[in-house]
Amino acid sequence: MRRIAKISAAAVVGALALSSLTACGDSSASASGGKGGKVKIMVGGLDKVIYLPAMLTQQLGYFKAEGVDVQLLTEPAGVQAETALVSGDVQGTVGFYDHTLDLQVKGKQVESVVQFSQAPGEVEIVSNKAAGEISGPKDFKGKKLGVTGLGSSTDFLTKYLAVNSGVQTSQFTPVAVGAGQTFISALQQGSIQGGMTTDPTVATILDKKLGKVLIDMRTPEGSKAALGGLYPSSSLYMQTEWVNSHKDTVQKLANAFVKTLKWMSTHSAAEIAAKMPADYAQGGGKELYAQAIKSTLPMFTTDGVMPADGPATVERVLKSFNPNLKNAKVDLSKTYTTEFVKNAG
């Protein structure tokens, strides 16, 4: 499992490209993925704290206990993980719920089956050099701002913060810099003045005194202040057709993830950190990694259930800047289901 978690993004992309080629013309490729209890899940950054439940569930042995064989793969950005799902290379994606709305208006039926969080877990960071000229989203005009990938949830949220403060999306430049060391290097080199990222990258930047927190959305309170409500983000989402035809497997996945969320709610950040692969600390050490987890823990749900008003907040945020969604009718009831988490024992 550790080997899978540490493979490079390029290697994953290459593997997916090969699997796409070999599956070409075989419409049963994705349908057969769940047979025998085997499921491939692509994560938009396995070492990001916002997606911690994915690897933690594996580490705690809960997938195995449910009798489902899960292979976790990783991509640096949620938008790339989304692509892997839509193309049928994987059966599930651990990424932001907002992709389900974006995909629906593009004719793809995808739904969140386990909602890990009720807040984005994201932080807008500004470099020390630019801190004097960026005091809030109103100052984004003319700036280069880091996002994990174009079309990713960090891209979505950055655009919302800008538009909500009177800055048009055409007036600043989003730059795809990933997370971790690539984000940090871009900030240090001045190729971005600020950007949106998550822990443990945030903890490392603050520890090295390379930047300052501009907007903190790691807690429900931070989400409400920045976005006007709870913003369900990290989740396990899957194609609706696959969910409906593999309900037993989906229930096992939901059982495992809900167990993990409950376990997280009764254990300290240090205890959680101790269960994770050592290299997930991104070179910051055990104590800094535990602090990163502690800062982000408030975002997680304890039961995997979608927050009641969450989908409406996500729709409002996306419609504020996304031309594809602005005048589109979105059926929010089809973007998530609570069937499996409510049946989880």
Side-chain angles (χ1 to χ4, degrees):
M1 187 60 247
R2 291 288 301 281
R3 180 186 64 79
I4 292 171
K6 290 167 69 177
I7 58 177
S8 68
V12 174
V13 172
L16 288 177
L18 285 173
S19 64
S20 295
L21 287 171
T22 56
C24 186
D26 180 7
S27 61
S28 66
S30 63
S32 64
K35 290 183 178 179
K38 292 184 178 180
V39 181
K40 287 183 180 179
I41 297 177
M42 183 64 78
V43 184
L46 261 173
D47 57 358
K48 295 177 184 176
V49 177
I50 57 171
Y51 299 141
L52 181 147
M55 179 56 78
L56 183 57
T57 303
Q58 187 83 277
Q59 298 288 91
L60 290 172
Y62 290 161
F63 290 136
K64 187 176 181 180
E66 288 293 328
V68 59
D69 182 4
V70 173
Q71 181 182 14
L72 296 175
L73 300 169
T74 188
E75 280 283 14
V79 66
Q80 293 159 326
E82 169 200 296
T83 300
L85 178 71
V86 173
S87 65
D89 290 309
V90 298
Q91 289 74 52
T93 292
V94 169
F96 268 39
Y97 160 73
D98 53 22
H99 289 289
T100 67
L101 280 71
D102 189 50
L103 286 168
Q104 188 183 112
V105 299
K106 295 174 181 175
K108 306 290 184 182
Q109 290 300 321
V110 174
E111 61 188 20
S112 165
V113 295
V114 184
Q115 193 58 48
F116 296 164
S117 60
Q118 56 189 336
E122 302 281 354
V123 175
E124 185 70 26
I125 291 278
V126 60
S127 70
N128 290 334
K129 186 176 180 180
E133 53 188 283
I134 304 178
S135 61
K138 62 182 175 54
D139 300 319
F140 284 177
K141 187 175 181 180
K143 302 298 188 294
K144 291 181 179 179
L145 302 172
V147 296
T148 51
L150 301 181
S152 66
S153 296
T154 50
D155 190 21
F156 290 165
L157 289 170
T158 302
K159 286 176 177 174
Y160 170 77
L161 293 174
V163 169
N164 196 47
S165 295
V167 179
Q168 299 306 305
T169 57
S170 60
Q171 293 179 310
F172 69 94
T173 305
V175 182
V177 293
Q181 192 52 52
T182 53
F183 184 100
I184 294 169
S185 295
L187 199 69
Q188 284 179 301
Q189 294 165 8
S191 52
I192 58 173
Q193 284 80 55
M196 192 170 291
T197 191
T198 59
D199 277 311
T201 307
V202 174
T204 301
I205 289 170
L206 297 180
D207 184 62
K208 293 184 176 180
K209 297 179 171 54
L210 300 175
K212 300 176 181 177
V213 172
L214 192 67
I215 300 168
D216 192 338
M217 296 179 284
R218 291 176 290 187
T219 65
E221 294 73 25
S223 178
K224 290 174 183 177
L227 306 173
L230 293 179
Y231 193 94
S233 56
S234 56
S235 65
L236 170 68
Y237 65 83
M238 313 178 90
Q239 295 203 54
T240 301
E241 183 180 4
W242 197 91
V243 171
N244 291 338
S245 59
H246 297 79
K247 288 200 170 189
D248 287 347
T249 300
V250 176
Q251 186 62 62
K252 290 175 182 178
L253 291 170
N255 292 346
F257 280 126
V258 170
K259 283 181 186 176
T260 297
L261 292 168
K262 288 179 179 177
W263 188 93
M264 288 168 61
S265 72
T266 58
H267 289 75
S268 69
E271 290 171 321
I272 295 170
K275 291 289 184 181
M276 300 298 287
D279 57 321
Y280 278 28
Q282 294 183 1
K286 289 182 180 179
E287 288 186 12
L288 189 61
Y289 183 52
Q291 180 56 50
I293 292 175
K294 185 177 181 180
S295 298
T296 305
L297 272 179
M299 73 177 278
F300 293 106
T301 67
T302 60
D303 54 11
V305 176
M306 174 68 73
D309 299 327
T313 301
V314 173
E315 181 182 26
R316 175 176 52 78
V317 166
L318 295 183
K319 285 193 170 187
S320 71
F321 66 84
N322 190 322
N324 295 328
L325 277 155
K326 201 170 187 69
N327 299 310
K329 172 63 178 173
V330 179
D331 187 344
L332 293 176
S333 69
K334 292 182 178 179
T335 61
Y336 70 97
T337 176
T338 59
E339 173 187 349
F340 301 98
V341 291
K342 287 189 174 179
N343 287 331

